[in-house]
Amino acid sequence: MTRTTTPTPGAARHAAAPVASLSRRRFLRTTLIAGAGVAALAGAGFAWLRRSPVDSLPPGEGIRYLTASEYHLFQHATAVLLPVQGTPLTPLSQVPVVQHIDHMIGLLPGHLRKQVGMGLTLFDNAAVVSGWHGRRFVDLETADAVQYFDDWSHGNTIQKALATLVKRFVYVAYWRDPATWGPVEFDGPVSEKWGLAYLGNAPLPDQQAVSQEAVQ
Amino acid sequence: MSVQAIARGLPVVQASDVTSAQLTLKADVVIVGSGAGGAVTAYELARQGLDVLVLEAGPYVPSTAFTEDFADSLETLYEDHGSQSNKDGDLLILQGRCVGGSTVVNGCVAFRTPDFILEEWRRDFGLAEMTPATLNPYFERVEKHLSISTNGPHEIARHSQLMMAGAQKLGWSMKPFQRNVRECALTGHCLSGCKTDRKQSMLVTYLPWAAAHGARIHSDTRVSRVLSDNGRVTGVEGEVIDRTGHKVADVRVEAPRVILAAGAVQTPVILQRSELGNAQVGRHFACHPSMYVGARYPEPVYPWRGALLGTYVDEFMHPKDGGFVLEVGGLGVAEMCLITEPGTGKPYIDYMQHARFNAGIVTLIHDHNVGEIRWNGEYKTIDYRLSDQDFPSMMAALTAAVRLHLAAGAEEVFLPATERLAVRRESEIEAMVGQLRNRPQALRMVSYHPQGSCRMGADPANSAVDPHGRLHGVEGLYVADASLLPTSLIVNPQVTVYALANYVADRLLASA
Ligand SMILES: Cc1cc2nc3c(=O)[nH]c(=O)nc-3n(C[C@H](O)[C@H](O)[C@H](O)COP(=O)(O)OP(=O)(O)OC[C@H]3O[C@@H](n4cnc5c(N)ncnc54)[C@H](O)[C@@H]3O)c2cc1C
């Protein structure tokens, strides 16, 4: 069964927080002075032109906001970050993770969307030189992709921010879907399930009991 | 005027009620923001017969509409839809943005201002009236109004019980929290709003009481500027914006008194946009940068079940003992994957598969007021970077949290870092914590307590607001929210904000 709950801007922006406040200038400056960032940009001449077999594939059905390369990046990241196969966790086939991410991305404000786009492009292409993988993130084997995430998680500031960004989008998109809650026994909303009564507003304070003189 | 108690819900003018493109209103006092500071001042002034108008930027979401889904609640109930962060992007700064403000989404923990903090305020900021003798009646009043009481045994969830046993082993003092809740239903969903009105937030207390005394409340109304003439306030202006982000109307209010209670981020922004106040406005921002230290236990804990906040370690609260507090806090799965880094791929899946075995501790420190809030003409910036002075306290709090987890029987404790750093035994703590450096993006931090950006004090050279809550140099303009706090509190601030707001309201009444 495929569930299609609608992710919200809240989750989207929460996931985007790591880059939320890096202004474009600041973002590039940080990138330029950062170790692997330098390598990535130095290698840009060929890295940005490094073709991937997925480049010719269209984005998935119903995708409205992600570019094709972003879509493929998140598809790959989802498979790498959420190896649920063989576990009791809800299979990826039942959680439209990238569709959720697409929705979340669509709800980002313009300036943040731009920064996220730049960040994702860097994350994908920098794999060509960062760690000497020689190929883009979308083409890394699972073990190499895991290594790439781990290297970036203890890399420079921008690497940490981007690795966290991709992880957060994927994790939030998966776990916010109620289909994922059963296997971990997460209860979700309970008040209605438990039939709890609404208490309403507190009664007006008894002005006799708390005298005004006491506080003036 | 007759006082009509309101049993349920609130009479609120919402964007959908506004039919003209220009709204012009009048009041004796206009209050900007309906959270802790705004609601208390609204009630205290309205019940004395003043014509009070409350303008709230966020939507009116009645408790019946709360979803108990954190990701969803971030969107509807939080400032910037839950994404408000510092410039470096490594500190998420959470604030409520709805009628009732942060009190709607807060964790209900209730502390009076510690005496040693009041002492600092008197000594360093000339706030001679900030004595326990002056403030205790305010605390008592608020505690009574908000049904604040100590957690009973049924409110100590499994995670708190485990930590209590750990603290006992370590010989540390640990206490049950006081909370503003009536008949807590133990849903664990405090941060998404209390669906059945048990949390005594402003939404179900001071706001309906203020409305019963005639206060008018407008939601979806973001104030952009305070208007003034010759150093005297004349009103405010702003915009009514509906939930889809569309502007519905301009709003202009004429009022001889304005109280800013928009929270510690927005209050200085409004002042800067209005070009009012001295150079201290926006400076000295503090926020209790917190870490959530998660750990895996050998038995199921179900950290989302039971009262969200049960107990805390007060052993190190005084600055001479370390200056930090450890609070045992619950959380759900969506939050869990944002704050801990258990590793990539299989280790992550293993961690989440065992989510019910996890428990967490929130650290709070007495941070220095090193931050600054700025309006750059287009958007606000929050320039806050953990200071080198505060890094040792953060690490001391982290070390203590790890020790507590291990003493409580945790198998593995995850440091709140961007990379996987886990500790399994006491002997590993020093080396592991020692790997952390005070650099942007090294720690995963959250602030629930922004404060201090319009400091109260006698001397305009180091404060923005005078000891009665008036903005230095402007007649009729008051601040009554967490911006006022001259130094950070260490403890959760809502009760301090309520008490100070009541204090400011009384000073305003006395001068009227
Ligand atoms: C998730 C969370 C958990 C917390 N847990 C606790 C706890 O357990 N115990 C505790 O003591 N404290 C807790 N706090 C903190 C506590 O709630 C705040 O310190 C307190 O509410 C601050 O009061 P305030 O009046 O300064 O701001 P708020 O209560 O945040 O109110 C400010 C209001 O102003 C509105 N506003 C902002 N800008 C404008 C504008 N331009 N025009 C009109 N309106 C505007 C906002 O939308 C908001 O509603 C928590 C906070 C959060 C976010």
Side-chain angles (χ1 to χ4, degrees):
Chain A
M1 184 193 69
T2 303
R3 301 200 71 271
T4 47
T5 49
T6 307
T8 60
R13 286 161 166 242
H14 201 98
V19 294
S21 13
L22 293 172
S23 71
R24 191 188 151 84
R25 250 181 50 229
R26 211 173 127 79
F27 181 95
L28 290 174
R29 196 180 57 220
T30 319
T31 307
L32 278 165
I33 55 172
V38 173
L41 289 171
F46 70 92
W48 256 256
L49 295 174
R50 181 68 50 110
R51 301 290 301 164
S52 160
V54 299
D55 289 344
S56 55
L57 301 176
E61 218 180 291
I63 293 296
R64 295 176 59 197
Y65 304 105
L66 291 168
T67 63
S69 50
E70 289 169 344
Y71 170 82
H72 295 303
L73 186 155
F74 278 120
Q75 278 284 62
H76 193 51
T78 301
V80 169
L81 295 173
L82 297 171
V84 293
Q85 213 181 356
T87 75
L89 297 188
T90 308
L92 295 179
S93 59
Q94 291 177 27
V95 187
V97 176
V98 185
Q99 274 77 359
H100 285 353
I101 294 173
D102 181 60
H103 206 92
M104 291 153 74
I105 290 272
L107 296 163
L108 289 174
H111 71 282
L112 198 50
R113 172 67 183 98
K114 237 189 225 162
Q115 287 167 23
V116 167
M118 283 196 297
L120 294 175
T121 305
L122 178 62
F123 185 82
D124 188 13
N125 286 276
V128 177
V129 286
S130 176
W132 307 110
H133 291 293
R135 49 175 76 175
R136 281 177 25 208
F137 169 77
V138 283
D139 294 327
L140 294 183
E141 298 294 335
T142 301
D144 289 338
V146 166
Q147 188 61 49
Y148 187 59
F149 270 111
D150 286 344
D151 288 346
W152 278 48
S153 77
H154 45 250
N156 58 54
T157 303
I158 199 72
Q159 289 175 313
K160 283 181 169 168
L162 290 177
T164 306
L165 171 88
V166 176
K167 282 185 171 182
R168 282 188 173 177
F169 265 114
V170 171
Y171 295 160
V172 173
Y174 180 78
W175 288 107
R176 63 164 299 127
D177 194 315
T180 63
W181 298 347
V184 292
E185 297 179 52
F186 177 59
D187 302 318
V190 291
S191 288
E192 276 169 12
K193 205 158 60 185
W194 294 349
L196 295 176
Y198 285 87
L199 298 192
N201 297 333
L204 275 165
D206 176 0
Q207 297 305 321
Q208 308 292 304
V210 186
S211 77
Q212 181 56 20
E213 288 84 324
V215 293
Q216 284 205 338
Chain B
M1 192 191 66
S2 73
V3 177
Q4 198 65 52
I6 300 161
R8 207 156 148 180
L10 261 180
V12 176
V13 177
Q14 306 181 53
S16 52
D17 301 316
V18 175
T19 47
S20 70
Q22 175 67 51
L23 204 57
T24 308
L25 302 160
K26 277 188 180 186
D28 291 338
V29 186
V30 58
I31 299 175
V32 182
S34 66
V40 169
T41 47
Y43 168 66
E44 297 296 347
L45 299 178
R47 77 186 189 88
Q48 296 298 336
L50 293 188
D51 176 19
V52 172
L53 175 67
V54 179
L55 302 181
E56 165 57 52
Y60 169 51
V61 184
S63 46
T64 46
F66 293 159
T67 59
E68 298 186 327
D69 177 329
F70 187 60
D72 180 59
S73 306
L74 283 170
E75 178 206 350
T76 45
L77 304 175
Y78 283 77
E79 182 65 41
D80 287 350
H81 308 289
S83 74
Q84 184 171 257
S85 58
N86 65 343
K87 252 166 128 179
D88 288 328
D90 57 2
L91 172 73
L92 197 62
I93 299 167
L94 296 178
Q95 285 184 294
R97 184 179 174 278
C98 54
V99 172
S102 301
T103 74
V104 171
V105 293
N106 79 19
C108 305
V109 165
F111 280 103
R112 291 186 180 190
T113 322
D115 285 353
F116 59 86
I117 296 287
L118 294 178
E119 209 177 298
E120 267 180 33
W121 293 1
R122 294 195 299 275
R123 188 190 62 218
D124 299 339
F125 299 96
L127 295 174
E129 285 185 47
M130 291 293 132
T131 60
T134 310
L135 290 179
N136 281 351
Y138 288 104
F139 293 140
E140 281 161 23
R141 182 176 171 80
V142 157
E143 285 162 357
K144 188 173 166 65
H145 282 173
L146 300 184
S147 305
I148 291 175
S149 64
T150 306
N151 274 339
H154 65 292
E155 291 164 311
I156 312 297
R158 186 73 196 124
H159 33 107
S160 274
Q161 289 169 10
L162 284 167
M163 300 307 170
M164 281 178 88
Q168 202 173 9
K169 265 196 210 159
L170 293 166
W172 292 354
S173 166
M174 191 163 199
K175 298 199 170 83
F177 282 118
Q178 296 218 304
R179 294 189 306 145
N180 53 319
V181 61
R182 281 198 295 156
E183 301 171 39
C184 180
L186 312 180
T187 65
H189 285 301
C190 297
L191 304 196
S192 300
C194 187
K195 191 163 176 63
T196 54
D197 304 323
R198 284 136 207 277
K199 179 195 296 182
Q200 297 301 282
S201 74
M202 297 301 99
L203 195 58
V204 297
T205 58
Y206 279 85
L207 288 174
W209 302 341
H213 283 277
R216 291 165 289 155
I217 303 167
H218 285 233
S219 66
D220 310 310
T221 307
R222 180 166 284 266
V223 169
S224 46
R225 283 192 335 126
V226 176
L227 306 171
S228 64
D229 187 21
N230 275 328
R232 176 113 232 132
V233 112
T234 56
V236 299
E237 66 180 18
E239 293 177 339
V240 180
I241 297 174
D242 72 15
R243 293 188 195 188
T244 61
H246 289 113
K247 180 171 153 183
V248 171
D250 286 308
V251 60
R252 193 178 171 95
V253 183
E254 274 178 43
R257 284 183 200 80
V258 173
I259 298 179
L260 291 181
V265 175
Q266 285 295 336
T267 285
V269 165
I270 295 170
L271 287 170
Q272 288 166 3
R273 294 184 73 174
S274 316
E275 296 177 8
L276 290 174
N278 64 23
Q280 300 299 313
V281 170
R283 297 183 59 199
H284 314 298
F285 175 78
C287 67
H288 289 165
S290 290
M291 295 173 287
Y292 189 94
V293 186
R296 181 148 79 194
Y297 282 75
E299 57 171 294
V301 181
Y302 295 100
W304 46 83
R305 291 189 182 161
L308 184 81
L309 287 144
T311 54
Y312 68 104
V313 172
D314 64 342
E315 180 83 19
F316 312 101
M317 190 192 286
H318 197 285
K320 74 175 167 36
D321 300 320
F324 62 87
V325 176
L326 304 179
E327 303 191 342
V328 184
L331 85 170
V333 284
E335 303 95 289
M336 204 173 279
C337 53
L338 294 171
I339 52 184
T340 301
E341 180 51 64
T344 308
K346 288 209 162 65
Y348 173 77
I349 293 301
D350 183 55
Y351 170 79
M352 288 306 292
Q353 203 179 316
H354 295 93
R356 67 187 186 284
F357 291 79
N358 294 336
I361 297 170
V362 178
T363 62
L364 290 183
I365 66 159
H366 181 32
D367 60 326
H368 288 79
N369 295 61
V370 296
E372 187 162 350
I373 308 294
R374 280 284 144 218
W375 173 252
N376 70 9
E378 267 176 75
Y379 52 86
K380 70 184 178 217
T381 56
I382 305 176
D383 202 347
Y384 182 94
R385 190 173 274 189
L386 186 67
S387 74
D388 286 338
Q389 252 177 317
D390 290 329
F391 188 67
S393 313
M394 283 292 263
M395 293 303 103
L398 175 58
T399 301
V402 177
R403 288 191 67 203
L404 181 58
H405 269 309
L406 292 177
E411 290 177 334
E412 192 167 30
V413 188
F414 300 95
L415 305 192
T418 328
E419 58 198 299
R420 181 194 153 90
L421 293 173
V423 175
R424 286 172 167 272
R425 52 190 72 82
E426 178 97 25
S427 58
E428 297 169 358
I429 301 177
E430 208 183 304
M432 206 56 86
V433 173
Q435 291 186 35
L436 294 169
R437 293 282 172 273
N438 189 19
R439 298 208 184 107
Q441 291 289 340
L443 294 172
R444 290 189 176 177
M445 298 181 287
V446 182
S447 161
Y448 307 92
H449 305 156
Q451 51 190 296
S453 49
C454 294
R455 239 179 198 175
M456 198 184 216
D459 184 356
N462 69 355
S463 64
V465 170
D466 81 6
H468 287 183
R470 288 174 301 221
L471 193 76
H472 287 301
V474 183
E475 281 294 304
L477 182 49
Y478 290 77
V479 174
D481 61 18
S483 320
L484 289 176
L485 312 189
T487 65
S488 78
L489 292 180
I490 297 190
V491 296
N492 313 53
Q494 65 169 338
V495 171
T496 301
V497 179
Y498 300 136
L500 285 181
N502 197 158
Y503 172 90
V504 169
D506 282 352
R507 297 316 169 271
L508 184 151
L509 283 166
S511 73

